[in-house]
């Protein structure tokens, strides 16, 4: 692997022990994938340090204590508790306080402490051809497919990329891998973000780790739709990039993928994703979750309008999850008031699958964390549904955003409208 | 018994030895494994019920989430990690990054002879530095 003089200086320890270890790790990663050299990155979305995982906050603290400093703009991924108000979600003080230690470590390193799966809604908006590193698969797919930036599905090493400004040139950093592997023909016109998560989920199931080129959408999807589409396929498959001609840089609207394996997605395939995640009791749900991935300002407007002047049914809890920045904008715009008046909770930094509801984590016993008993969680996202099933391990109900709100108000599940309804 | 060896591509460097645990299905480190016990709990895996701890995990491929690294690393934190991974396909960068942190060697073996010959419980020595898997 060819290393620049700067890379070699980092390896020699000229910028301190933390940067030296980071560069050693990045060189190993590059060698594993036969990377010819390293690229400069313009941005990194990195691990939060998760209080529900043994030794995980300590891992971030140790990195900060070694003297790590971020040399490019860095945002932090979703965390295990709302650091502004963990009581509202029933998290114990021990958990909230441990999570706050990760926040302090990130501030010492110079990360923007956004703690979200949608840093783009908080202003982190990498541009065409910018190499970036990202720990969140939803950020990876949005960056590659909507913004034209270049990202792999990274893990912890996104921290190392942020500390060094470097990343090995492999995977989706190479043009050769930013080409379609499948041609997907969509005949079901999706309506709303829940549909787009289901469409993405169906595509990811079909193409697995491929790069689907998507045809047949009757309109240009909005930013929230594109976000939902990407996270759906990053959840069911290992998709890191889709190509939507006319949207994905640099693919023009006449781009096609003739001759590649064809996948057809019809209305029945969308409905099947919804049906597959309707395993819970239609009158026995205790939590309605909205905002997966973390809601944009536009989605907050939508939720606020749906709840305005209404009251959530007895025995039902509603969480609207978004990031800190959007939450502040929503507060300033008067959008939190109708949600709170209806009885909903607005939660930042975390979400049901990322908080102490998860059963797949293993917190230090001294934290005293016990996952609550939950009968069923009702959601408006295929991503949340998938991970509720795998991580909280309880039944789900899945419908459109509008009908999820109707369900919360009435206490009775309102399924998604079929296309011919 | 004579030793049989196959060429392997070292992805995460290191050496390890242990009994083979062989799957025909893709494994997701997020969701399919209980980090406290090292037990496979994912029903879509043909290893459901098996324990990966100390085993050489022989898989066609890894699947799914970018959170894979965290679960692989957590297996190490809980001392329930596998000895090594032998894969047919290059893993997601997230899996590789987790294996680096957990110091679990990974090799990719392309030789179809290996995939035909290996049987459950075979004692495998994985040398990801020299690039070799040996049945001992």
């Amino acid at each position: 692997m060819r290393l620049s003089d700067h890379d070699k200086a980092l390896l020699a320890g000229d910028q301190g022990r933390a940067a030296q270890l980071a560069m050693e790790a990045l060189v190993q990663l590059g060698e594993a994938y036969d990377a010819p050299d390293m690229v400069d990155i313009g941005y990194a979305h990195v691990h939060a340090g998760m209080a529900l995982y043994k030794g995980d906050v300590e891992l971030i603290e140790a990195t900060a204590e070694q003297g790590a400093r971020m040399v490019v703009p860095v945002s932090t991924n979703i965390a295990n508790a709302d650091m502004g108000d963990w009581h509202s979600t029933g998290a114990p003080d021990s958990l909230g306080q441990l999570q706050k230690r990760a926040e302090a470590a990130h501030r010492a390193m110079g990360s923007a402490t956004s703690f979200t799966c949608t840093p783009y809604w908080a202003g982190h908006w990498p541009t065409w051809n910018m190499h970036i590193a990202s720990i969140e698969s939803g950020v990876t797919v949005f960056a590659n497919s909507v913004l034209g930036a270049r990202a792999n599905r990274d893990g912890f090493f996104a921290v190392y990329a942020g500390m060094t400004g470097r990343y090995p040139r492999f995977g989706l950093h190479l043009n050769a891998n930013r080409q379609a592997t499948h041609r997907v023909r969509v005949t079901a016109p999706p309506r709303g973000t829940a549909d787009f998560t289901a469409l993405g989920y169906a595509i990811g199931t079909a193409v697995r780790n491929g790069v689907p080129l998507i045809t047949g959408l009757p309109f240009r999807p909005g930013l929230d739709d594109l976000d939902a589409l990407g996270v759906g396929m990053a959840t069911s498959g290992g998709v890191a990039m889709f190509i939507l001609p006319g949207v994905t840089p640099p693919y023009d609207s006449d781009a096609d993928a003739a001759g590649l394996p064809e996948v057809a997605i019809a209305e029945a395939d969308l409905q099947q994703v919804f049906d597959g995640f309707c395993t819970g009791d239609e009158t026995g749900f205790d939590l309605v979750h909205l905002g997966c991935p973390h809601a944009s300002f536009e989605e907050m407007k939508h939720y606020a309008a749906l709840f305005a002047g209404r009251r959530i049914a007895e025995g039902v809890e509603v969480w609207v999850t978004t990031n800190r920045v959007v939450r502040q904008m929503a507060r300033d715009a008067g959008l939190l008031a109708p949600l709170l008046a209806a009885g909903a909770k607005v939660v930042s930094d975390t979400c049901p699958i990322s908080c102490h509801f998860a059963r797949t984590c293993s917190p230090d016993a001294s934290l005293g964390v016990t996952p609550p008993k939950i009968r069923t969680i009702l959601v408006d996202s295929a991503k949340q549904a998938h991970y509720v099933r795998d991580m909280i391990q309880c039944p789900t109900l899945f419908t459109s955003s509008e009908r999820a709100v109707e369900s919360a108000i009435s206490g009775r599940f309102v399924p998604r409208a079929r296309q011919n309804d | 018994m004579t030793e049989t060896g196959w060429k392997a591509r070292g992805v995460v460097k290191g050496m390890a030895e242990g009994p083979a645990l062989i799957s025909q299905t893709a494994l997701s480190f997020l969701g399919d494994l209980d980090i406290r016990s090292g037990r496979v709990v994912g029903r879509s895996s043909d290893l459901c019920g098996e324990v990966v701890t100390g085993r050489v995990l022989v898989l066609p491929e890894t699947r799914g989430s970018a959170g894979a690294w965290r679960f692989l690393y957590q297996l190490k934190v809980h001392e329930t990690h596998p000895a090594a991974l032998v894969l047919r396909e290059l893993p997601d960068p997230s899996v590789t990054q987790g294996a680096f942190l957990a110091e679990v060697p990974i090799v990719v073996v392309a030789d179809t002879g290996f995939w035909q010959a290996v049987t459950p419980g075979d004692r495998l020595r994985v040398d990801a530095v020299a690039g070799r898997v040996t049945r001992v």
Side-chain angles (χ1 to χ4, degrees):
Chain A
M1 192 173 175
R2 283 193 312 279
L3 297 177
S4 68
D5 289 343
H6 177 64
D7 297 337
K8 289 175 188 163
L10 290 179
L11 275 180
D14 291 6
Q15 305 281 327
R17 184 66 182 140
Q20 182 180 27
L21 290 172
M23 186 49 86
E24 282 174 12
L26 290 166
V27 169
Q28 283 187 66
L29 180 67
E31 285 173 349
Y33 291 90
D34 292 335
D37 59 359
M38 298 245 184
V39 294
D40 284 329
I41 64 155
Y43 161 64
H45 181 63
V46 309
H47 186 48
M50 293 185 131
L52 283 170
Y53 294 86
K54 197 173 157 187
D56 202 71
V57 169
E58 290 83 348
L59 186 63
I60 287 293
E61 285 182 325
T63 307
E65 280 158 18
Q66 276 167 357
R69 294 295 175 270
M70 298 305 174
V71 299
V72 294
V74 163
S75 53
T76 50
N77 200 22
I78 199 159
N80 291 152
D82 184 330
M83 284 166 258
D85 179 14
W86 55 80
H87 293 129
S88 74
T89 61
D93 284 343
S94 54
L95 183 73
Q97 282 155 2
L98 178 59
Q99 192 60 71
K100 291 283 281 184
R101 282 170 47 189
E103 182 184 52
H106 272 297
R107 287 195 173 139
M109 292 191 285
S111 315
T113 44
S114 38
F115 296 108
T116 181
C117 49
T118 57
Y120 28 91
W121 302 148
H124 284 283
W125 198 263
T127 52
W128 185 36
N129 280 336
M130 182 184 279
H131 297 279
I132 71 168
S134 161
I135 194 166
E136 162 60 53
S137 60
V139 173
T140 295
V141 73
F142 190 80
N144 282 319
S145 319
V146 181
L147 307 179
R150 294 165 178 248
N152 287 332
R153 289 162 60 102
D154 289 302
F156 189 77
F157 282 30
V159 171
Y160 299 149
M163 291 160 55
T164 59
R166 300 286 277 169
Y167 187 87
R169 192 193 302 269
F170 74 99
L172 289 168
H173 295 274
L174 293 167
N175 279 340
N177 297 320
R178 302 178 67 84
Q179 314 285 334
T181 60
H182 296 74
R183 184 176 192 272
V184 176
R185 194 165 45 83
V186 179
T187 57
R191 294 182 296 194
T193 56
D195 273 14
F196 271 96
T197 66
L199 175 60
Y201 198 88
I203 292 173
T205 303
V207 308
R208 298 159 61 84
N209 296 323
V211 178
L213 182 142
I214 301 166
T215 65
L217 286 176
F219 58 95
R220 184 185 173 101
L223 286 168
D224 291 318
D225 298 335
L226 292 165
D227 179 34
L229 179 66
V231 302
M233 59 184 97
T235 299
S236 61
V239 175
M241 177 177 180
F242 64 80
I243 297 168
L244 190 57
V247 171
T248 304
Y251 290 91
D252 223 329
S253 47
D254 58 357
D256 207 345
L260 290 176
E262 295 250 356
V263 175
I265 306 285
E267 164 60 21
D269 300 300
L270 246 60
Q271 188 59 45
Q272 201 178 11
V273 176
F274 281 89
D275 291 347
F277 286 121
C278 286
T279 54
D281 177 354
E282 300 203 349
T283 55
F285 52 89
D286 12 41
L287 177 62
V288 175
H289 173 250
L290 308 169
C292 171
H294 273 171
S296 69
F297 182 78
E298 296 306 308
E299 288 169 325
M300 292 300 284
K301 269 161 61 182
H302 190 49
Y303 292 137
L306 292 170
F307 277 112
R310 309 179 80 183
R311 186 73 206 165
I312 291 158
E314 199 71 34
V316 175
E317 191 164 318
V318 173
W319 290 19
V320 181
T321 54
T322 184
N323 68 49
R324 297 173 176 194
V325 175
V326 170
R327 182 180 184 151
Q328 185 59 42
M329 287 194 290
R331 181 180 289 120
D332 294 345
L335 300 175
L336 297 196
L339 294 171
L340 300 175
K345 292 176 180 176
V346 179
V347 176
S348 302
D349 304 341
T350 192
C351 74
I353 57 172
S354 301
C355 78
H356 61 291
F357 294 0
R359 292 176 180 275
T360 44
C361 53
S362 178
D364 197 303
S366 67
L367 291 178
V369 173
T370 319
K373 286 198 171 55
I374 301 172
R375 286 175 299 170
T376 289
I377 302 181
L378 192 157
V379 299
D380 67 348
S381 160
K383 176 177 184 174
Q384 188 75 198
H386 175 99
Y387 287 117
V388 166
R389 182 192 71 193
D390 286 357
M391 298 180 76
I392 301 179
Q393 297 165 357
C394 80
T396 53
L397 294 165
F398 176 27
T399 185
S400 68
S401 302
E402 296 76 11
R403 289 179 174 215
V405 172
E406 288 308 314
S407 306
I409 300 297
S410 67
R412 174 173 286 277
F413 178 57
V414 186
R416 169 185 183 254
R418 287 170 194 259
Q419 208 68 298
N420 50 3
D421 277 9
Chain B
M1 188 173 157
T2 55
E3 290 192 350
T4 315
W6 297 271
K7 200 165 142 21
R9 170 177 173 171
V11 177
V12 175
K13 300 285 191 281
M15 286 179 72
E17 193 177 307
L21 183 64
I22 304 171
S23 171
Q24 311 299 329
T25 54
L27 187 75
S28 167
F29 285 93
L30 196 171
D32 283 352
L33 280 160
D34 175 41
I35 54 182
R36 282 155 290 215
S37 64
R39 192 174 295 280
V40 180
V41 293
R43 279 182 224 111
S44 66
S45 169
D46 60 1
L47 297 179
C48 191
E50 298 274 1
V51 173
V52 300
T53 310
R55 314 289 289 274
V56 173
L57 203 46
V58 180
L59 302 168
E61 60 179 325
T62 56
R63 176 172 63 84
S65 171
W69 75 272
R70 194 168 76 241
F71 286 80
L72 194 43
Y73 178 61
Q74 281 291 314
L75 291 170
K76 171 76 167 192
V77 171
H78 289 85
E79 298 178 340
T80 53
H81 56 290
L85 302 185
V86 179
L87 305 173
R88 199 197 294 262
E89 305 273 346
L90 262 177
D92 248 18
S94 178
V95 172
T96 303
Q97 293 171 21
F100 278 129
L101 288 178
E103 299 172 312
V104 171
I106 300 184
V107 293
V108 171
V109 180
D111 186 346
T112 53
F114 167 79
W115 295 92
Q116 285 159 4
V118 68
T119 56
D122 282 354
R123 198 161 180 84
L124 296 180
R125 184 187 300 144
V126 175
D127 184 342
V129 181
R132 197 152 185 83
V133 176
T134 312
R135 183 162 60 194
V136 295

